[in-house]
């Protein structure tokens, strides 16, 4: 088995990687605190990996959701995602210029997911819904087998303005039905930024400015909704989520008077070079011996175990050299993703085939591909 998985989307419930975590203080705080709801980081920092690791904590036999009386959503999948297939109805353009409507849409989507779920069908009675409008009742009956708030949000964004209006009028009624929940509900939402990224980054799109606002509003609105549901509505409900660090820009303008509170529930991922090196060491130690050049060194000298040597001489300057990891790190963008991607390519080259020349070539070639991907 190769431990160098650069795409966290591929990680499943029982994958070994979910236990291979180098936790600096920020990551420890996130993994072991029920108040740290969000992760904010730039691309390639491991947001998806960490939210999956947090979800996995509630799925192992010692911390199973059933035993702790906690319902974890989505069902079957580790995280819910809002993908690029979302279509915003043109009639909502004016409404969605208001950031706070995004907060409302997320709160409604999360509340409906919980209220309509099989797990809580016995909590509510018909009289609880008698004041709701027909449009809202329809929303509560949408097929949502995996309990994904993104399904509800995508539906709402696709409605005509006259159809969405009555649901927004019922927002307070829907959200306060959550007062009846008296056991834990944990939701895990990832990759919200992808819903609008193609429009933000693609050139020559007329609606680019509007969609850039959607890109930020959708993400920070989720953070805002998660905070309000936990702090003001029902502390049994915890929405764990990931957002891009860029979505925090000008947050005090978006959520006046509450941005500081919202962000006290967010972990901003920051890694030093030493952090990345510790990650590298942990992965080498967990790699199968057959996939290492010199497995006898895996516990005492991870660079030698993986590369087959400890130092690389400078190609053009006599007497100048650096460690193998320093060479690897210098050819990265200093993100966990880059290290995983480059080491995966070295693994595919074949551990026993690695020489200093081969290592240089693979690192240089792969780092060039990573850079092109970053720019695109």
């Amino acid at each position: 088995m190769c431990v160098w998985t650069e795409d966290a989307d591929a990680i499943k419930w029982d994958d070994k990687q979910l236990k291979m975590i180098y936790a600096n203080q920020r990551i420890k705080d996130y993994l072991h605190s029920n108040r740290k709801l969000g992760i904010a980081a730039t691309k390639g920092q491991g947001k998806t990996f960490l939210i999956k690791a947090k979800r996995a904590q509630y799925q192992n036999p010692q911390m199973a959701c059933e035993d702790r009386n906690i319902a974890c959503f989505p069902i079957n999948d580790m995280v819910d995602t809002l993908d690029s297939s979302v279509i915003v109805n043109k009639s909502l353009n004016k409404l969605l210029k208001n950031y706070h409507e995004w907060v409302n849409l997320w709160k409604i989507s999360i509340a409906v997911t919980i209220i309509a779920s099989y797990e809580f069908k016995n909590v509510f009675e018909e009289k609880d819904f008698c004041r709701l409008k027909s449009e809202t009742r329809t929303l509560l009956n949408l097929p949502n087998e995996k309990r994904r708030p993104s399904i509800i949000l995508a539906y709402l964004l696709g409605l005509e303005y006259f159809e969405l209006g009555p649901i927004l009028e019922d927002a307070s009624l829907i959200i306060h039905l959550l007062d009846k929940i008296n056991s834990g509900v944990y939701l895990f939402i990832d990759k919200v930024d992808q819903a609008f990224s193609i429009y933000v980054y693609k050139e020559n799109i007329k609606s680019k400015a509007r969609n850039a606002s959607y890109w930020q509003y959708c993400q920070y609105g989720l953070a805002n909704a998660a905070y309000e549901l936990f702090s003001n509505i029902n502390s049994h409900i915890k929405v764990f989520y990931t957002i891009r660090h860029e979505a925090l820009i000008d947050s005090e303008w978006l959520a006046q008077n509450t941005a500081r509170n919202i962000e006290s529930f967010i972990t901003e991922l920051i890694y030093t070079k030493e952090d990345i090196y510790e990650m590298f060491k942990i992965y080498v130690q967990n790699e199968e011996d057959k996939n290492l050049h010199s497995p006898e060194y895996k516990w005492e000298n991870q660079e030698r175990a993986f590369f087959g040597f400890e130092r690389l001489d400078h190609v053009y300057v006599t007497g100048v050299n650096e460690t193998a990891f320093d060479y690897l790190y210098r050819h990265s963008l200093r993100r966990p993703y880059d290290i995983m991607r480059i080491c995966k390519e070295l693994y595919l080259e074949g551990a026993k085939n690695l020489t200093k020349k081969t290592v240089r070539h693979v690192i240089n070639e792969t780092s060039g591909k990573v850079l092109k991907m970053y720019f695109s």
Side-chain angles (χ1 to χ4, degrees):
M1 165 187 161
C2 173
V3 297
W4 308 102
T5 303
E6 78 277 17
D7 184 4
D9 291 340
I11 294 177
K12 306 300 181 186
W13 297 100
D14 57 350
D15 280 355
K16 183 180 179 181
Q17 284 91 333
L18 289 174
K19 297 178 181 179
M20 294 160 44
I21 302 172
Y22 167 71
N24 59 22
Q25 192 56 53
R26 287 172 183 263
I27 295 173
K28 286 178 182 176
D29 290 345
Y30 170 72
L31 291 175
H32 300 125
S33 169
N34 286 334
R35 291 180 58 85
K36 288 296 184 180
L37 303 177
I39 299 175
T42 53
K43 197 168 180 64
Q45 300 289 358
K47 300 185 296 296
T48 296
F49 172 75
L50 287 173
I51 194 173
K52 284 189 171 185
K54 185 145 187 156
R55 173 75 191 258
Q57 289 181 347
Y58 299 102
Q59 301 299 139
N60 67 46
Q62 288 73 39
M63 297 182 66
C65 290
E66 309 85 71
D67 298 337
R68 292 165 53 101
N69 200 28
I70 296 171
C72 288
F73 296 159
I75 300 295
N76 298 326
D77 295 332
M78 295 192 77
V79 292
D80 184 16
T81 58
L82 187 68
D83 59 39
S84 57
S85 64
V86 173
I87 298 175
V88 178
N89 193 299
K90 291 182 179 179
S91 68
L92 303 183
N93 287 344
K94 184 176 180 180
L95 175 76
L96 296 179
K97 288 181 180 178
N98 183 342
Y99 159 74
H100 293 285
E101 295 298 352
W102 288 89
V103 181
N104 281 333
L105 289 173
W106 270 118
K107 288 195 289 188
I108 292 170
S109 300
I110 293 164
V112 166
T113 300
I114 296 169
I115 294 165
S117 69
Y118 175 83
E119 287 78 2
F120 296 100
K121 68 175 184 178
N122 295 325
V123 172
F124 302 99
E125 304 173 55
E126 180 57 34
K127 65 180 182 180
D128 293 320
F129 309 118
C130 64
R131 295 170 59 194
L132 298 178
K133 298 177 177 61
S134 60
E135 292 85 352
T136 308
R137 286 173 171 264
T138 298
L139 189 64
L140 286 165
N141 289 313
L142 282 182
N144 193 2
E145 293 182 0
K146 291 189 174 183
R147 319 325 182 248
R148 295 176 55 200
S150 67
I151 295 292
I152 309 300
L153 183 69
Y155 173 83
L156 293 174
L157 291 173
L159 292 176
E160 294 285 345
Y161 180 81
F162 71 87
E163 297 172 306
L164 181 59
I167 297 173
L168 290 175
E169 291 173 10
D170 280 348
S172 180
L173 292 174
I174 300 169
I175 293 164
H176 282 284
L177 283 175
L178 295 175
D179 291 338
K180 301 190 74 172
I181 302 293
N182 56 20
S183 60
V185 191
Y186 293 180
L187 299 97
F188 298 82
I189 304 175
D190 184 35
K191 295 184 180 296
V192 176
D193 62 294
Q194 290 190 352
F196 303 102
S197 287
I198 188 172
Y199 299 104
V200 174
Y201 296 115
K202 200 170 182 179
E203 295 181 3
N204 302 319
I205 297 291
K206 292 181 180 179
S207 57
K208 188 171 183 177
R210 183 184 72 226
N211 282 291
S213 295
Y214 290 178
W215 186 88
Q216 182 182 27
Y217 290 1
C218 190
Q219 292 181 79
Y220 203 77
L222 172 59
N224 198 330
Y227 164 74
E228 290 188 17
L229 288 171
F230 175 75
S231 299
N232 303 333
I233 306 298
N234 189 331
S235 60
H236 290 299
I237 298 168
K238 298 179 177 65
V239 181
F240 299 107
Y241 58 87
T242 68
I243 60 175
R244 292 280 288 274
H245 191 272
E246 299 91 324
L248 302 181
I249 294 172
D250 295 331
S251 59
E252 291 187 2
W253 177 79
L254 291 180
Q256 295 178 9
N257 304 320
T258 59
R260 183 172 295 180
N261 292 337
I262 293 168
E263 288 165 34
S264 70
F265 286 77
I266 296 176
T267 297
E268 297 184 44
L269 292 185
I270 298 174
Y271 299 110
T272 64
K273 178 182 176 182
E274 288 71 28
D275 289 333
I276 300 287
Y277 182 50
E278 291 300 322
M279 291 179 198
F280 170 80
K281 288 166 63 176
I282 287 172
Y283 274 81
V284 172
Q285 289 168 353
N286 282 275
E287 182 62 279
E288 293 183 71
D289 288 357
K290 66 179 182 180
N291 296 330
L292 297 174
H293 185 284
S294 305
E296 65 272 21
Y297 293 103
K298 68 189 300 183
W299 297 105
E300 59 188 80
N301 189 327
Q302 289 74 35
E303 288 165 282
R304 188 167 180 181
F306 185 71
F307 299 104
F309 51 86
E310 298 174 47
R311 306 191 71 84
L312 275 168
D313 293 325
H314 196 287
V315 176
Y316 303 111
V317 183
T318 304
V320 174
N321 59 56
E322 60 188 326
T323 69
F325 178 81
D326 281 350
Y327 187 84
L328 170 65
Y329 185 76
R330 183 164 60 81
H331 284 78
S332 75
L333 296 174
R334 302 176 183 182
R335 307 176 301 176
Y337 170 85
D338 309 331
I339 305 302
M340 293 293 175
R341 174 73 185 273
I342 295 171
C343 288
K344 176 71 170 289
E345 294 298 324
L346 290 167
Y347 157 84
L348 293 173
E349 192 70 25
K352 304 303 180 184
N353 299 324
L354 295 183
T355 63
K356 291 186 178 182
K357 182 178 180 180
T358 303
V359 168
R360 287 182 189 278
H361 174 75
V362 172
I363 290 178
N364 291 342
E365 287 290 313
T366 309
S367 64
K369 293 175 184 177
V370 169
L371 186 60
K372 288 180 181 178
M373 183 188 302
Y374 179 81
F375 281 131
S376 68

